[in-house]
Amino acid sequence: MLNSPLQDPLADRLHALKQRFVERLKVELVSLEAYGQKLEQQDVELESMRNCVQRLHQLAGSAGTFGFPEVGELARELEKRLKTEVEHWPDNAGAGHPGAEACTGLAVQFRALVARMKTESAEPVPDRDQAATTVIDEASLHGQQVRLLVVSDGLSELDDLVKELSRYGFNVLVLGLSDDRFSETNRAALLDNVATAICWHGMVERVARQVSGHHADAWPYLMPLVCIGETGQFEQRYRVASAGARAFFPEPVDVPELVERVETFVEEKTSRVRGRVMIIDDDRELAEHYSLVLAAAGIEPRVVNDPAQLLEALHGFEPDLVLMDIELGHYSGVTLAGMIRFHARWLSLPIIYLSAEDDLESQLQALSGGADEFLVKPISDDYLIRSVQMRCQRARQLSELMNRDSLTRLLKHSIIKQEVERERLRSMRGDYPSCAVLLDIDHFKQVNDTWGHAQGDVVIRALANLLRNRLRESDAIGRYGGEEFLVVLSNCDAPAAEHLVGRILQNFSELEFAVGEQAFQVTFSAGIALINQFAEGDQAIEAADRALYARKRAGRNGVMIYDQSMAGRSLSPADGF
Amino acid sequence: MSNDARMPEKVLYVEDDPDIRSIAELALRDVGGFTACLCESGAEALAVIDDFQPDLVLLDVMMPGMDGPQTLKALQSRPQGLPVPVVFMTARLQPAEIEEYLALGAIGVIPKPFDPMTLADEIRRLAAAGAS
């Protein structure tokens, strides 16, 4: 997994877009390959060649922008030649197709293009082809990259929904069922980076068949399918459920609710493979082996060979689970586990001993020291992966429950505050800028008073989801107060943070909250402070708060960066905010 | 400042390819510092242009439905006309086509593929040349 704290957010996003384009190349190359084969067999007809010219044209115009100029050039040349053929197409079927020579020539060019695309699209995506692993491209799940697939039969029922979902920051791909991207060969590439499929209830069986044919992985992942229906009668829902759909939304669709559901699917998918495991073993080779095995299964390992480094390493790495040898030279794993438990923060961290000890009584003795379980060496790779995965997932669920706000599933007040301080320390070590951003929904009381508290909750959840969608996995987002959010933007300077938050504000202010026939829109104000300027995390939060208040004074619906001139002013409620 | 007053700040870009729209958004907003509005079709551009009030319009030439030139004509034939400069984006750059687009009233043509790091500069360059 790439962890490069020095990349700026723009580069991150460019990279993510490039990755997405690579996915598109993979899909595209399969159909181009098919066209090439048809030409080779001289099995061509005008309509499909026109279609092919269109595709080549798009590729010629876009590939260079995403950093694949050669693909673009090859596509352009081919487009030109094929276009000439199409323009001179004999108009009665008797003459059939371009001459044999032309076909062969074109087929050769197609092969060159496809080969180039294969090379280019194979390169920048590491981890993908490792056997028996399910490494999910992070970029496809976070930031703006959550991709939804809307399957439509050309009717316009879902058009508004597509627009609405795009406003929430999703990347929505709309395809007809007969699109070639659903063909046997293309399907895996298509479905690989789609988080959820959405369709009209009438086509549920057909869509389910298309999206469920994806069992190549060792642990098959079934794409969640959501159906939209007219009424929500029992029969309709029953049919949808029996086709394997995960959710049903009657019209008019409660979009915030749907977004919420999609978010849980995304988390589900992510949590299948993620997990951070710290391995403490003085046998370097064995530790290295465990580390490789876990990494191959999508778990992020960190090896600590020297027990004296343990606590520091824990703070830096924040594992979901610790695997520890019970005898570490002249140190005892049991005592180390006890030391870990000195810290309230690590009370719930699962610790698993690795040991050759198979005497149950001694095991029990060791467990009383504060660990959770024994794995007896030698451990098979498969057993190690499965037991670690299971426990990571469970540990995540538990910490979710403890650390997250129930309405928004964002970090709770105390946790996000700690996160600011942690980021301050991290960014000092790594010598990069990071920002704390405090956001407050404008006139929230008015929303509650006018539309009711339930609508107020919808607004809060909508902002939470939008933030989750637009920020990176490495950023931390918390619910700081009722309608206040605190965000930690790692490796991001103040102007970049201002840009980013400004864009999120723009999206947020475009969201329409519907209540019966009426609808309303909401804005927020935000203050930004560069964490690195301060000696303590709390001071950075206070500075962000001052910038927020300054923004509110200057008129809401905007973003402001903290500067020294705001330092002395009072923040008392007497200001009327 | 007096020169800058003519420089566009708000750009409306009409482009049917969603991937290109995403990267153009980055190129215009983040790299270029424009306020940008991205539309997926000529019809959408017609619907939003009054609210957005762009200083400049960028049109992809080849789009399903209304293509770039048709979109331009539709924008121009509104009662208030189209009082801001227009730039076409095209992957097929032939001299005859450039002539045709300029004749329609465009101030320039940007070839595709474009470089996301320099797209904004190119727009500003065309706008400066068009304004002088």
Side-chain angles (χ1 to χ4, degrees):
Chain A
M1 212 149 292
L2 266 177
N3 249 338
S4 48
L6 294 172
Q7 272 183 351
D8 62 295
L10 180 64
D12 277 355
R13 291 177 52 205
L14 277 171
H15 181 73
L17 287 174
K18 187 171 173 176
Q19 297 274 92
R20 192 161 90 196
F21 191 76
V22 165
E23 293 306 318
R24 175 164 146 187
L25 280 185
K26 285 186 192 161
V27 174
E28 201 69 3
L29 79 84
V30 178
S31 21
L32 288 173
E33 194 164 15
Y35 283 121
Q37 280 163 0
K38 281 190 169 180
L39 273 166
E40 210 150 348
Q41 294 151 9
Q42 300 183 28
D43 163 24
V44 285
E45 30 133 350
L46 184 54
E47 208 35 56
S48 75
M49 285 303 129
R50 276 210 182 110
N51 182 308
C52 182
V53 169
Q54 188 91 27
R55 281 169 176 240
L56 289 167
H57 179 80
Q58 280 210 330
L59 198 56
S62 55
T65 298
F66 292 92
F68 306 105
E70 282 145 300
V71 169
E73 285 307 316
L74 288 168
R76 188 189 303 276
E77 271 169 42
L78 200 45
E79 181 207 351
K80 265 193 234 160
R81 278 191 65 181
L82 199 58
K83 190 150 184 275
T84 320
E85 292 296 343
V86 167
E87 276 164 1
H88 297 100
W89 203 274
D91 46 9
N92 76 42
H97 44 72
E101 210 172 304
C103 275
T104 318
L106 283 165
V108 169
Q109 264 186 296
F110 262 100
R111 276 206 295 274
L113 172 64
V114 167
R116 185 82 233 168
M117 285 166 80
K118 278 188 178 153
T119 335
E120 299 270 24
S121 61
E123 273 167 13
V125 193
D127 296 346
R128 263 251 132 78
D129 300 324
Q130 286 176 10
T133 64
T134 334
V135 177
I136 291 170
D137 177 14
E138 231 177 310
S140 70
L141 291 173
H142 287 281
Q144 284 176 287
Q145 305 305 316
V146 173
R147 177 172 263 198
L148 307 182
L149 173 66
V150 171
V151 187
S152 148
D153 51 7
L155 299 175
S156 53
E157 282 106 350
L158 300 178
D159 284 0
D160 289 342
L161 184 63
V162 169
K163 283 207 188 99
E164 194 64 18
L165 289 169
S166 313
R167 275 194 218 124
Y168 272 89
F170 291 104
N171 171 256
V172 188
L173 177 68
V174 183
L175 289 183
L177 258 182
S178 52
D179 196 285
D180 341 333
R181 280 177 268 188
F182 279 122
S183 69
E184 204 57 50
T185 35
N186 296 350
R187 191 158 53 191
L190 169 68
L191 299 184
D192 229 18
N193 64 355
V194 171
T196 299
I198 300 172
C199 73
W200 188 249
H201 72 93
M203 45 198 312
V204 60
E205 290 89 358
R206 283 176 293 154
V207 176
R209 230 172 292 136
Q210 295 291 32
V211 300
S212 61
H214 191 216
H215 294 289
D217 303 325
W219 295 280
Y221 167 75
L222 295 180
M223 164 150 349
L225 174 62
V226 174
C227 283
I228 311 295
E230 282 148 334
T231 54
Q233 283 161 353
F234 175 79
E235 278 77 18
Q236 210 176 77
R237 285 174 189 247
Y238 187 83
R239 182 176 152 206
V240 164
S242 70
R246 297 282 301 274
F248 179 91
F249 285 82
E251 291 243 273
V253 177
D254 181 342
V255 180
E257 187 68 37
L258 172 60
V259 169
E260 187 86 356
R261 194 64 71 88
V262 170
E263 294 289 343
T264 58
F265 293 150
V266 171
E267 272 171 30
E268 208 175 87
K269 185 172 178 181
T270 324
S271 67
R272 284 170 56 81
V273 289
R274 293 183 57 84
R276 297 151 78 86
V277 172
M278 180 161 284
I279 302 163
I280 304 150
D281 202 317
D282 57 348
D283 180 340
R284 281 171 196 264
E285 264 171 42
L286 197 56
E288 200 50 43
H289 174 78
Y290 293 146
S291 167
L292 286 173
V293 168
L294 293 176
I299 293 161
E300 194 178 343
R302 171 78 52 91
V303 175
V304 175
N305 297 116
D306 176 7
Q309 307 292 322
L310 174 58
L311 282 174
E312 201 179 320
L314 275 179
H315 279 281
F317 183 63
E318 293 170 22
D320 295 306
L321 185 144
V322 170
L323 278 179
M324 183 156 59
D325 193 352
I326 206 159
E327 278 153 25
L328 294 149
H330 52 278
Y331 293 107
S332 141
V334 179
T335 311
L336 288 170
M339 272 177 72
I340 292 176
R341 300 292 188 222
F342 283 175
H343 297 260
R345 233 192 110 203
W346 306 122
L347 272 177
S348 62
L349 177 70
I351 301 174
I352 298 179
Y353 291 132
L354 295 166
S355 162
E357 178 64 75
D358 58 1
D359 177 56
L360 283 176
E361 189 57 38
S362 323
Q363 283 189 7
L364 199 60
Q365 190 88 32
L367 289 177
S368 64
D372 299 280
E373 200 170 340
F374 256 95
L375 290 180
V376 179
K377 290 178 184 175
I379 305 156
S380 79
D381 293 349
D382 188 50
Y383 188 81
L384 179 70
I385 291 172
R386 279 190 298 157
S387 54
V388 164
Q389 268 178 338
M390 247 165 56
R391 285 172 185 84
C392 277
Q393 191 161 2
R394 194 160 154 65
R396 290 225 154 180
Q397 283 167 349
L398 280 175
S399 76
E400 269 309 82
L401 276 178
M402 289 190 302
N403 297 341
R404 300 213 174 239
D405 169 62
S406 60
L407 178 67
T408 59
R409 296 199 324 281
L410 298 179
L411 296 172
K412 285 179 180 167
H413 179 92
S414 56
I415 308 286
I416 186 72
K417 272 185 78 171
Q418 288 171 17
E419 196 49 49
V420 175
E421 175 59 12
R422 268 150 58 189
E423 179 60 30
R424 195 183 68 80
L425 296 171
R426 273 197 296 264
S427 62
M428 270 167 41
R429 278 198 298 270
D431 193 26
Y432 55 83
S434 291
C435 283
V437 186
L438 203 56
L439 292 88
D440 186 79
I441 299 176
D442 294 328
H443 302 296
F444 187 70
K445 191 175 167 328
Q446 226 163 294
V447 173
N448 272 337
D449 292 348
T450 317
W451 307 100
H453 286 273
Q455 275 304 317
D457 284 353
V458 169
V459 171
I460 286 178
R461 284 212 309 255
L463 181 53
N465 285 327
L466 186 61
L467 289 170
R468 241 194 306 264
N469 240 333
R470 298 295 301 263
L471 301 178
R472 294 163 300 167
E473 170 82 342
S474 55
D475 300 327
I477 318 167
R479 186 164 177 215
Y480 195 64
E483 68 270 23
E484 255 186 333
F485 295 78
L486 178 57
V487 174
V488 180
L489 298 174
S490 173
N491 191 13
C492 177
D493 64 17
E498 188 184 21
H499 253 299
L500 177 66
V501 178
R503 279 202 318 277
I504 294 173
L505 171 57
Q506 192 187 337
N507 286 141
F508 182 63
S509 63
E510 284 165 3
L511 294 180
E512 284 198 358
F513 297 95
V515 186
E517 295 287 282
Q518 292 170 289
F520 64 97
Q521 281 163 304
V522 190
T523 57
F524 65 72
S525 305
I528 296 173
L530 187 64
I531 295 176
N532 319 56
Q533 287 178 330
F534 302 92
E536 275 173 40
D538 285 356
Q539 293 171 356
I541 300 174
E542 197 188 310
D545 203 14
R546 285 181 189 278
L548 168 64
Y549 276 69
R551 179 65 248 177
K552 292 234 167 193
R553 264 189 224 106
R556 298 168 167 82
N557 187 14
V559 187
M560 198 170 271
I561 299 175
Y562 173 81
D563 71 61
Q564 296 294 336
S565 69
M566 300 171 188
R569 291 196 209 139
S570 109
L571 274 180
S572 71
D575 286 349
F577 299 102
Chain B
M1 266 326 264
S2 61
N3 264 344
D4 286 358
R6 315 183 78 157
M7 271 315 205
E9 284 172 10
K10 295 172 76 177
V11 174
L12 179 81
Y13 183 8
V14 191
E15 163 69 62
D16 61 308
D17 182 328
D19 289 333
I20 298 277
R21 277 203 304 280
S22 315
I23 201 157
E25 180 181 359
L26 216 62
L28 295 171
R29 288 192 189 146
D30 300 65
V31 180
F34 289 119
T35 303
C37 171
L38 291 108
C39 296
E40 60 178 36
S41 66
E44 194 186 340
L46 277 167
V48 304
I49 189 162
D50 281 334
D51 283 338
F52 182 64
Q53 296 278 342
D55 305 322
L56 184 139
V57 176
L58 272 180
L59 290 172
D60 182 32
V61 170
M62 199 140 123
M63 292 187 286
M66 241 195 284
D67 68 10
Q70 284 168 337
T71 304
L72 175 56
K73 283 181 193 146
L75 290 171
Q76 286 168 335
S77 57
R78 297 173 311 145
Q80 64 275 44
L82 185 63
V84 298
V86 174
V87 173
F88 278 107
M89 309 270 296
T90 177
R92 196 182 309 112
L93 204 52
Q94 277 157 1
E97 270 189 281
I98 300 185
E99 294 289 297
E100 184 195 330
Y101 300 146
L102 295 180
L104 288 174
I107 60 163
V109 180
I110 293 178
K112 280 167 99 176
F114 60 84
D115 177 355
M117 302 319 274
T118 60
L119 177 65
D121 295 342
E122 210 156 335
I123 292 169
R124 291 200 168 94
R125 196 175 48 72
L126 286 172
S132 61

